[in-house]
Structure formats: C-alpha cells, structure tokens
Amino acid sequence: MSVVVVGIQWGDEGKGKIVDLLTEKADVVVRFQGGNNAGHTLVVKGKKFIFHLIPSGILHKDKVCMIANGVVVDPLVLIEEMEALEREGIIVTPNRFKISSRAHLILPYHRYLDQARESQTGKVIGTTGRGIGPAYEDKVARRGIRMADFMDPEIFTRKARENFERANILMTHYLKKEPMTDDVLEVLNDKIRERLRPFIADTSSILHRLSKEGKSILFEGAQGAMLDVDHGTYPYVTSSNTVTGNVSCGAGIGPTSIRVVTGVLKAYTTRVGGGPFPTELHGKIGQALRDKGAEYGSTTGRPRRCGWFDAVAVRYAVRVNGVTSIALTKLDVLDNLSELQICTEYRLDGKPVEDFPPRAKSLEHVIPSYKRMKGWQQDITQCRRWDELPSATKDYVSFIENAVGVPIDIISVGAGREETIIRRHPFLKE
C-alpha cells in the first residue's frame, strides 16, 4: 500500500511530524520533489531534528529512506545532513538510504545565480537562494547534471564546465554581477563523489520491486500545493510540482499504486516570501500566532506571514491533490484566542468568486468572508483522544472538516511526536 503526504497550504504545514508518525506503519519513505529549500522540523523526546533532504523516516532504525529522481540535490548539503545525524548516533548506511541516480544536482553556480536574481530590484519572489530554481531550469533545458553523471569524473567535469561558463555569461551580461571564479567547481571533488557513491541506485526499480513484495511505501513532498509551479499562486511559487500527481513522475512509480493521499494543513494559515495572502493578519493576532507557533523558517529563519484559516484555498488544494484524508496541525497555537475566524468565501468586485483565481493580481484584491467562532482558551496539549478536546475545539475542527469536504483523521496538539490525536490511521484505511 502507498500513502502520499502533501502540504495543502503554502508549505510549513508540519509535514515532517506527520511523516514521522506514519513511518511507524511504513517500510519505505520516499522524498519525490523539491530540494533543500524545504525544511522538516521534528521534536522527538524533547530533541529537535531539522531535515532538508533526507526523509525524516531515517529516525526509525528499521526503515528504508530514498531521495527519488524528482528531487534536486546539493551534495554538500546532503553530506552535512548525513554527518549531523551521525553526530546524534543515527548512522546513515547504504542499506537504509538510497539516492536516485537520475536525481539532478544543485551546483555552486546555481546558488550564485539564484541569489543574484533575487537581489534584483523589483524581481523579488521570496526564494531561499539555495539554487533550486536554476537547477530545475537546467534540468528542463536538458543540460542538467544527474547523480549518474557525477559518478563519472570525466562526464561531470565536461558538463559542469560548459554550464559554469553559460552561468557566468548570465551573471555578467544580464544580472550585472561580478563573474564567478573557477574555484566554485572545485568543491565537488573526488572525496565528495566517493562519499556518496555507495548510496546511488535506481530507486524506481527498487520501489517497483518493494511494491510487488507488498511493502508499505510513504511518499513525502516538500513545500505546499499553493506553491506548485502549475497550480500554485504563480509566479510566487517554487520551481517544481508539489502536488500528488508528481509522485509518479518524481519517483518513477505508476499512479495506480497510490491508495491514500493525506493532506497536511495548519489550523491557521502561513506563507513565506512574496505573493498574495487573502487572510493575512498584520496586527497583534498575527504576531501572536507567529510567536506561539514559532513561525520562523527552518531553512532560512525568515518570519512567516500568518493569517486565519482559508477554506477556499484548501478546497482548491484538496481538489488538485485528490486528498482523501487530512492531518490538522498546530491546533494548540490557537489555545489563547477568544475568537477565531475561518474564511469560507472570496468576493471580488462585490461578487462571489466560484473558483480559486488563477491570477495573483486577482487574489491580491479578493475580500474574504469569514465565519466567526468561539475560542476554547485552554491548554489542549495533553489531549490524546477526540473526546478529551473542549467542545469549542471540536466545533472548530468539525467546521473545517465540513468546509473542505475531507475527514480530519489526525490532529496535532503540540510539537512532540506523542502530542497527537489519531482518529483513523491512513495506512489502515483499506
């Protein structure tokens, strides 16, 4: 059986914790898109772990984790992450961790290009500057360098040199920046290559075999559906497809193998960087959500913009992802508020908006219509069953469930692994 975990807001929904929870019932955990522009934060027995590339399932000793072909990989960041885990006593071995030979590399010149573009006046999208966009550009332009290429020093050197020279033309003639020096290529040397070589594999073939053997496979995405390059708030999006449909392309498995899609969403809404945000709160309540929810990016440390729950955006994300189950996170962040609001509808030019607008400009001008609800104003972090929640909390959760049309199977009431209410387990739904 295969379960997909996807974010269905603007990212940072708490996917890492949900993946960690579901890994207990999985045999394999697979990351299928994105790069180290995403960060999954987990708190296990009071200890914080932050993952950027390696699936968070690596914390479970008997699980196999994979980085599939749809991910763009910065080898230096990957090795840093492996070494950080090893310092905590978690040894990353080739029998437990695989990297697709078809995954594309992020090289130093990708990062320089990304940062140079983001610094241009009037061109700010809000990227992390980690080189993800330029790496995907090279992939689509058929000049990308894959892990299989990196394993061959001659092929890698030739391709990297050609791409480096092309990137320098962009830097100097278009972006008006100083040229990059040759030493940016020297960091990816034989030592790095040999460190990663034992982990490189045909992950698609392995997944096919494991699926035939009846193994349970958990696919995890990065970012959120509203940042999808096709279906998100374009152009304020990431450079890959974050939605469920990309599991097949990004991992090399057939769509018929997917049984359950668990959409992860917060009990309120956040986003990082530029772009429209209809329910954004600019005053004390927004700051209170940011402070109590620790809404600062695990990758960049940037403060997240915070707002009320947006059922319109979530309904759209549910539809394009085929969500069958919801995990609601950070419900405890709302504990101290006396009144809560949920956006149920947009209005534009005085008229209801039937579908989620495709243009960012339209989204910037919509007026949200809200359902006001009573807060519960008590600590829910000790609740472990649905019937232990205050009645106002259950009313809030039930309203969201009805507003988006999908059952809420998991409720997170705190950062810790144990601070969770599981009403129905996604791996046991069949």
Side-chain angles (χ1 to χ4, degrees):
M1 179 181 179
S2 296
V3 172
V4 180
V5 173
V6 291
I8 51 175
Q9 291 167 315
W10 277 277
D12 308 308
E13 301 95 345
K15 295 181 291 297
K17 174 180 175 176
I18 302 305
V19 168
D20 178 62
L21 281 169
L22 300 188
T23 296
E24 181 185 358
K25 302 293 185 184
D27 299 301
V28 188
V29 186
V30 184
R31 170 81 176 272
F32 67 88
Q33 55 80 215
N36 59 297
N37 52 336
H40 290 170
T41 303
L42 282 79
V43 179
V44 180
K45 295 181 180 179
K47 189 169 189 61
K48 181 185 285 189
F49 294 87
I50 299 177
F51 296 90
H52 298 286
L53 285 167
I54 300 174
S56 51
I58 201 73
L59 296 180
H60 297 255
K61 294 182 179 179
D62 57 342
K63 312 298 179 182
V64 175
C65 293
M66 297 184 187
I67 291 177
N69 59 277
V71 180
V72 286
V73 180
D74 186 323
L76 300 177
V77 172
L78 178 58
I79 289 175
E80 276 181 22
E81 198 162 310
M82 293 165 69
E83 291 176 347
L85 284 168
E86 288 169 0
R87 286 194 294 272
E88 297 297 332
I90 301 165
I91 308 302
V92 182
T93 60
N95 65 318
R96 291 192 58 220
F97 179 51
K98 307 290 184 183
I99 308 165
S100 173
S101 55
R102 292 179 170 87
H104 282 248
L105 268 64
I106 298 172
L107 297 173
Y109 53 78
H110 290 133
R111 294 196 303 273
Y112 284 109
L113 279 174
D114 203 0
Q115 293 161 14
R117 287 173 178 171
E118 192 68 7
S119 67
Q120 283 186 294
T121 303
K123 300 288 186 179
V124 176
I125 294 295
T127 76
T128 60
R130 299 298 199 267
I132 280 76
Y136 275 117
E137 287 177 38
D138 277 358
K139 174 180 178 176
V140 174
R142 300 185 294 277
R143 57 173 176 260
I145 299 176
R146 304 197 291 183
M147 276 292 178
D149 300 321
F150 183 44
M151 293 303 109
D152 186 317
E154 183 179 344
I155 292 175
F156 171 73
T157 301
R158 175 177 56 79
K159 286 190 170 185
R161 171 57 58 180
E162 291 173 358
N163 288 349
F164 169 78
E165 292 174 355
R166 183 182 292 105
N168 247 347
I169 292 173
L170 281 173
M171 285 287 286
T172 56
H173 292 279
Y174 176 64
L175 297 172
K176 309 301 181 184
K177 302 289 184 181
E178 291 295 317
M180 295 174 282
T181 56
D182 287 1
D183 58 1
V184 303
L185 293 179
E186 295 172 6
V187 296
L188 294 184
N189 50 36
D190 287 340
K191 182 179 179 181
I192 301 295
R193 179 179 292 107
E194 296 312 311
R195 175 75 169 90
L196 294 179
R197 190 183 296 277
F199 300 91
I200 308 303
D202 185 340
T203 54
S204 172
S205 176
I206 296 171
L207 283 171
H208 180 75
R209 173 175 56 79
L210 293 174
S211 181
K212 288 286 188 182
E213 293 173 0
K215 301 296 185 183
S216 295
I217 303 173
L218 179 61
F219 294 96
E220 67 166 33
Q223 293 91 31
M226 305 310 295
L227 294 176
D228 184 276
V229 70
D230 282 303
H231 302 286
T233 49
Y234 192 89
Y236 300 94
V237 293
T238 192
S239 299
S240 63
N241 288 109
T242 63
V243 296
T244 306
N246 193 35
V247 173
S248 291
C249 295
I253 56 102
T256 54
S257 66
I258 298 171
R259 294 290 180 266
V260 176
V261 178
T262 296
V264 185
L265 55 86
K266 284 177 183 170
Y268 50 100
T269 310
T270 66
R271 78 171 298 172
V272 174
F277 187 175
T279 65
E280 185 172 9
L281 292 164
H282 297 281
K284 292 182 179 179
I285 296 178
Q287 187 60 48
L289 292 174
R290 184 177 300 113
D291 292 341
K292 193 170 192 308
E295 295 296 354
Y296 298 89
S298 55
T299 298
T300 63
R302 290 182 296 178
R304 296 174 186 141
R305 300 155 64 190
C306 298
W308 294 123
F309 186 88
D310 188 339
V312 180
V314 171
R315 282 195 296 268
Y316 169 71
V318 162
R319 174 168 62 83
V320 298
N321 281 280
V323 172
T324 59
S325 165
I326 283 177
L328 184 68
T329 64
K330 291 200 169 185
L331 187 59
D332 57 298
V333 175
L334 305 179
D335 280 356
N336 299 330
L337 299 180
S338 60
E339 182 182 88
L340 306 170
Q341 297 188 44
I342 295 174
C343 171
T344 58
E345 180 186 68
Y346 295 159
R347 299 185 73 84
L348 184 62
D349 299 326
K351 300 177 182 178
V353 178
E354 293 184 2
D355 295 312
F356 190 78
R359 298 176 63 220
K361 186 175 181 179
S362 297
L363 271 175
E364 290 168 355
H365 293 93
V366 297
I367 305 298
S369 297
Y370 289 104
K371 165 71 174 178
R372 296 177 183 272
M373 303 194 72
K374 183 180 178 182
W376 45 93
Q377 294 186 282
Q378 64 185 89
D379 184 0
I380 63 170
T381 57
Q382 302 305 311
C383 297
R384 297 294 179 267
R385 300 198 313 272
W386 171 255
D387 57 13
E388 294 176 352
L389 291 170
S391 59
T393 313
K394 290 190 282 189
D395 289 344
Y396 185 77
V397 173
S398 296
F399 189 91
I400 290 175
E401 197 170 45
N402 292 328
V404 304
V406 178
I408 295 175
D409 290 345
I410 298 172
I411 301 169
S412 175
V413 294
R417 179 188 284 172
E418 73 285 355
E419 294 175 316
T420 310
I421 297 169
I422 300 179
R423 302 168 78 187
R424 291 168 293 271
H425 199 291
F427 268 113
L428 304 177
K429 288 178 74 72
E430 288 192 325

